[in-house]
Every structure is written in structure tokens, then in C-alpha cells.
Amino acid sequence: MNESRIRIRNLSVLYEGQTALKDVSLAIPDRQITAIIGPSGCGKTTLLRSINRLVDLTDDVKVSGEVWVDGQNILDTRADVISVRKQIGLISQKPSPLPMSIYDNVAYGPRIHGVRDRKALNKIVQDSLQTVSLWSEVKDRLHASASKLSVGQQQRLCLARSLAVKPDVLLCDEPTSALDPASSQNIEKKLIELKDSYTIIIVTHILRQARRLADYVVFLYLGQLVEHGPAKAIFESPQEARTKAYISGEIS
């Protein structure tokens, strides 16, 4: 495994007293795509949202354990949550552009973090949009509402918005589930290109997608970590009966 900037130790999460994750420990390899797979309700999104403290926003949630990112336990009460979320970007299941222009969507994060110079902002916006292959499509209408973009373009815009604050980690929660096949392919292609520069963790309920994208796989079942390892090993020779059953379609 590559060096791991993210290490999870004994992570448990309860919602209203119900266990969502139970005693999860693993290391996420750096600069690879890690796919979190498992049936609906098994804790995939909860695990993802724990890595940038978004799980905190849920009412009546109890979190225990540790999530170490670059040597800092981000679950520590003294951790700077704003800094954590700058370091760890999130792409949601459905595109969520802010109710403002295309330009302002991308510039939003840098402005919050103190970038005021117009030339610097222009460069960040252009570079971020070029990275997600959206610049050529929107460069003549940067000040139009982001809501006018197609759903696929909106998801690429959200990716550009995350990249604009220069995170180290990208969390992707079923990022293609609301997209048409062509737009899904665009997002998948971008993620593969970006993995050389970012640690990427993707939740997916589509095993074919996990096979296409993943270098590393984490399999959850009923809130428990069943098995994890290199994608080839998990898909071709899983060690646990529940993993075999899920991959073969016997359980879903």
C-alpha cells in the first residue's frame, strides 16, 4: 500500500442510539481511488462524511474513535473544522451549485479563505474549470447563473469548486448517480486523471463503477468493516464469505 495520509481507528457512529458504524479501523492509500462498497444502509456515506466532519451536522449523533489526517486527529474537539473541510473536499450525490454565477461558484471558497485579488481569483477560476474540462464550455458566460448549466455540467462545476481551494483529499458520494451515461463517463475520466494529485474516496452502489475506478476497495456490511484491500484482490479473490456473496450478487 502507498503511504496513507488518512488513518481511521476504532470509529463508531450512532444516530439516535442506532449503530451506523461499529469499530472501523483502516488506512486509506494516498493518491489512489478508494471505493467504499456495500448494500444500502451499510454505513458507506456515514464513513465518508466522518472523514471531513460533516457527520457532525446530523442531529443526535454520537461519534467515537479517531480519524487521523496528516498527523492530526480531526475528531479532536480542538480541531479546526473549517480548515479540515478546506483540506478535504466533498462532491455530493446530486449537483449542488450555489445560487450565484458560474464564476462566483468557483471563487466562493478562495474568497472565504482570504483571496481578494481579482487577477488571482481569475486564474483560480480558469485553472479549476480547465481541470474539469468545463472552461471551453462556459468561458463566454462566466457571469451567467450556474443553474442554467446542464446537470452534468453542474456536477463538473461542483468538482471545480472543490478543487479551487486546493484540497488534499476528494470525497465523492455517489457522484454520478444523478447523471446521464455521457456525463457519468466525464466524471469518471476526471477522477482517474486527478488521482495522481489527490487522495480520492468514492462511495458507489455500482459494482461495475468500482471495478472501473478503484485501486483499493473497502467493503462494509451492516455498519461493520468486513474486508478491505487492493481492488484486484477484493474482486478476484475475496477472503470473506459476505464479500464473495455481495460481489456475486447473492446479497444486495
Side-chain angles (χ1 to χ4, degrees), residues 8 20 40 44 80 97 102 107-108 113 128 140 160 177-178 180 182 199 209 219 229 235 237 243 245:
I8 298 166
S40 296
K44 300 188 297 294
D80 182 344
I102 295 166
Y108 184 81
H113 294 289
S128 301
D140 296 325
S177 64
D180 61 83
T199 297
Q209 184 175 66
F219 174 56
F235 286 124
S237 54
T243 313

Side-chain angles (χ1 to χ4, degrees), residues 8-13 21-24 47 50 63-65 75:
I8 298 166
R9 297 176 184 167
N10 308 116
L11 176 66
S12 294
V13 180
L21 288 176
K22 183 177 180 181
D23 200 27
V24 172
L47 177 57
S50 297
V63 182
S64 62
L75 296 186

Side-chain angles (χ1 to χ4, degrees), residues 174-194:
E174 298 191 23
T176 64
S177 64
L179 306 184
D180 61 83
S183 296
S184 296
Q185 192 174 36
N186 277 336
I187 291 292
E188 288 188 6
K189 180 181 177 184
K190 284 293 124 189
L191 293 179
I192 290 170
E193 291 173 0
L194 290 169

Side-chain angles (χ1 to χ4, degrees), residues 35-213:
I36 304 174
I37 64 172
S40 296
C42 70
K44 300 188 297 294
T45 294
T46 297
L47 177 57
L48 194 78
R49 291 168 69 87
S50 297
I51 296 172
N52 73 345
R53 294 282 301 268
L54 278 177
V55 74
D56 295 17
L57 302 179
T58 307
D59 291 336
D60 199 14
V61 63
K62 182 178 180 182
V63 182
S64 62
E66 301 171 348
V67 177
W68 291 85
V69 181
D70 289 337
Q72 177 191 26
N73 177 19
I74 66 168
L75 296 186
D76 191 302
T77 54
R78 295 166 293 181
D80 182 344
V81 178
I82 292 174
S83 176
V84 166
R85 292 180 185 153
K86 177 179 183 293
Q87 186 181 9
I88 305 172
L90 175 70
I91 309 300
S92 300
Q93 196 168 12
K94 293 181 179 179
S96 54
L98 301 171
M100 54 184 67
S101 71
I102 295 166
Y103 182 100
D104 288 336
N105 262 268
V106 183
Y108 184 81
R111 282 173 171 151
I112 283 181
H113 294 289
V115 180
R116 293 288 181 266
D117 181 75
R118 187 71 179 186
K119 285 185 178 179
L121 283 172
N122 289 347
K123 186 175 190 310
I124 290 169
V125 170
Q126 181 171 344
D127 288 350
S128 301
L129 290 172
Q130 284 177 330
T131 298
V132 302
S133 301
L134 194 55
W135 174 253
S136 62
E137 299 171 35
V138 302
K139 63 182 180 180
D140 296 325
R141 48 178 175 142
L142 290 175
H143 298 290
S145 172
S147 64
K148 302 295 185 184
L149 297 173
S150 70
V151 175
Q153 288 174 324
Q154 287 182 16
Q155 192 66 309
R156 279 186 286 153
L157 177 66
C158 292
L159 179 54
R161 190 176 70 205
S162 289
L163 297 179
V165 295
K166 303 192 183 311
D168 299 311
V169 179
L170 281 175
L171 308 179
C172 304
D173 189 5
E174 298 191 23
T176 64
S177 64
L179 306 184
D180 61 83
S183 296
S184 296
Q185 192 174 36
N186 277 336
I187 291 292
E188 288 188 6
K189 180 181 177 184
K190 284 293 124 189
L191 293 179
I192 290 170
E193 291 173 0
L194 290 169
K195 75 177 182 180
D196 289 339
S197 303
Y198 301 88
T199 297
I200 299 174
I201 308 172
I202 180 171
V203 164
T204 180
H205 65 281
I206 305 169
L207 282 176
R208 294 187 308 280
Q209 184 175 66
R211 288 179 187 271
R212 286 193 298 270
L213 294 180

